[in-house]
Amino acid sequence: MTSTPTLAPYKAEFLQASIEGGVLKFGQFELKSKRVSPYFFNAGNFYRADLLRAISTAFAKTIIEASSPIAVTPLEFDIVFGPAYKGIALAVTTVDKLAHLEPERFGKICYSFDRKEKKDHGEGGNIVGAPLRGKRVLIVDDVVTDGTAKREAIEKIRNEGGIVVGIVVALDRMETLVAPGGQELEDKTSAIGAIRREYGIPVLAILTLDDIIWGLRQNGKEEDIRSMEEYRAKYKASY
C-alpha cells in the first residue's frame, strides 16, 4: 500500500484550505471519463480571497522548489502561462506571489494567457499579456484530465514562437487514461505520464492522490479513506 509519510507545510496548508473551502469534496462524482470518483477537485472554487491566496502560494512554492539551483534539473522560465479560463487567474496570481516571495529572482517574471477566440480588432491576436516569441514558458493549470487542453496550450505557445519548458498543476489524480467513450485501456499510462513522454517536459503537481489520502488519515472519515484507497487500487497509473 502506498503512503505519504509527511507533507511539506505548504502542501499540507493547501490541502487543508482546499477541504475547508469546499474545493475538494468527498462523496460520489461521475467524471468526464464516466468513472465514479469518491472525490472531486474544482479549482474554479478558489474565488474567495483567502482561498486564492492559498492556491497562488502553493503554486509559487512548488515552482520555487522546482527552480532551485540545487534541484536535479532546475526549472528555468520567463513567462507563466495560464490556459483560458481557469488558468488565467492561476497565472496572474502565481506571478504576483513569486515576485512577492523571491523578488530578486522573480521580480521581472511575466504572465500570459490565451483567448478562446482570436480578437480581430484592436491589438488582435490570440494571446493576452507578455509576447511569447523566443521565451521559455511554464504552463499552470488545475489538473490534467486526458491531456487535450494541455496539448492545445502547448501548440498555441509554439505557434507564437514560445518554448514550453514545463507544466505545473494543482492536482495529479494518479489514474490511468480512459479511451473515448469510457472504455478502460490495457496501457496503465496516466495523462501526466503521456504528456511527459510526448513532449519531453516535466509535469509537476502541488498535490497527488497519495497526498490527499495521507491528509485524510490525519483527520478524516474512515469511510472516505477506504473509498479513496479502493479507487487508487483500481485505477492507479504505472506512469
Side-chain angles (χ1 to χ4, degrees):
M1 182 180 295
T2 303
S3 63
T4 305
T6 187
L7 283 184
Y10 76 88
K11 291 177 180 281
E13 290 166 9
F14 176 62
L15 176 58
Q16 189 65 28
S18 298
I19 295 172
E20 291 180 354
V23 175
L24 177 60
K25 298 180 180 180
F26 302 98
Q28 285 197 323
F29 307 91
E30 183 174 310
L31 306 178
K32 183 180 178 181
S33 64
K34 303 303 180 184
R35 288 175 180 160
V36 177
S37 172
Y39 74 106
F40 188 71
F41 182 86
N42 183 7
N45 284 343
F46 279 104
Y47 50 73
R48 204 173 66 204
D50 59 332
L51 297 177
L52 188 61
R53 189 180 307 118
I55 194 171
S56 65
T57 299
F59 265 107
K61 289 189 175 181
T62 300
I63 293 168
I64 288 169
E65 191 175 85
S67 59
S68 168
I70 64 173
V72 176
T73 307
L75 192 60
E76 298 180 345
F77 61 98
D78 307 300
I79 295 171
V80 177
F81 182 90
Y85 291 102
K86 289 180 182 178
I88 295 174
L90 298 178
V92 174
T93 56
T94 296
V95 164
D96 178 69
K97 186 61 67 175
L98 283 168
H100 174 73
L101 293 175
E102 294 203 7
E104 290 188 4
R105 292 179 62 199
F106 300 113
K108 300 296 183 181
I109 290 293
C110 301
Y111 73 82
S112 291
F113 57 87
D114 62 321
R115 294 186 173 97
K116 286 292 187 180
E117 296 180 359
K118 186 175 181 178
K119 188 176 181 181
D120 59 4
H121 61 281
E123 75 278 15
N126 290 311
I127 303 299
V128 179
L132 303 179
R133 183 164 299 280
K135 301 297 184 180
R136 298 166 298 179
V137 182
L138 177 65
I139 298 172
V140 295
D141 211 351
D142 55 350
V143 297
V144 180
T145 304
D146 59 8
T148 301
K150 305 305 175 287
R151 289 182 175 87
E152 290 176 353
I154 290 170
E155 292 311 308
K156 284 186 177 182
I157 292 166
R158 288 180 170 180
N159 288 339
E160 294 289 330
I163 305 159
V164 179
V165 296
I167 300 172
V168 182
V169 294
L171 176 66
D172 177 3
R173 292 184 60 94
M174 301 178 67
E175 60 187 76
T176 55
L177 280 167
V178 179
Q183 297 89 351
E184 297 294 331
L185 298 171
E186 290 186 12
D187 184 359
K188 297 302 181 182
T189 300
S190 70
I192 282 180
I195 292 288
R196 284 173 180 155
R197 286 197 296 274
E198 186 175 345
Y199 294 98
I201 58 175
V203 184
L204 311 174
I206 301 171
L207 292 177
T208 67
L209 175 59
D210 283 347
D211 295 332
I212 294 173
I213 293 173
W214 177 88
L216 284 176
R217 287 202 186 104
Q218 311 314 302
N219 187 23
K221 298 177 181 178
E222 286 299 324
E223 182 180 353
D224 290 334
I225 296 169
R226 184 170 58 254
S227 295
M228 295 285 283
E229 290 180 331
E230 289 173 353
Y231 188 82
R232 178 176 61 183
K234 186 174 183 179
Y235 296 118
K236 187 172 182 179
S238 61
Y239 284 84

